[in-house]
Amino acid sequence: MRTVVDLTRCQGYAQCVFLAPEVFELHGEEGLLYATAIPDDQAERVRQAAAACPVQAILLGEEVSSGAR
């Protein structure tokens, strides 16, 4: 699974960090670091994180190739 975060949408709510801390990490007060290639054992947690994002900034799988620019 691949993921991309639209950092122009991201507001730093950090729901993704709480739900998938092995993939998402806050850097400083509001900077988000994340892995683009998701290990299989983290896939469900990342799906939950994407669903929980209040601004829907996380794109997964096929969304990455069709929605990210």
Side-chain angles (χ1 to χ4, degrees):
M1 175 188 292
R2 307 232 1 120
T3 187
V4 169
V5 177
D6 182 343
L7 296 175
T8 60
R9 271 189 179 180
C10 180
Q11 297 295 307
Y13 292 106
Q15 295 302 307
C16 56
V17 177
F18 295 118
L19 291 166
E22 292 186 25
V23 176
F24 301 98
E25 175 186 349
L26 279 181
H27 181 70
E29 297 266 332
E30 295 181 10
L32 182 68
L33 301 175
Y34 64 96
T36 56
I38 307 304
D40 290 339
D41 67 334
Q42 293 296 307
E44 184 57 32
R45 295 183 75 108
V46 172
R47 282 188 195 94
Q48 291 172 356
C53 180
V55 294
Q56 300 299 293
I58 303 170
L59 301 174
L60 304 174
E62 289 82 40
E63 295 173 2
V64 169
S65 58
S66 65
R69 294 174 197 250

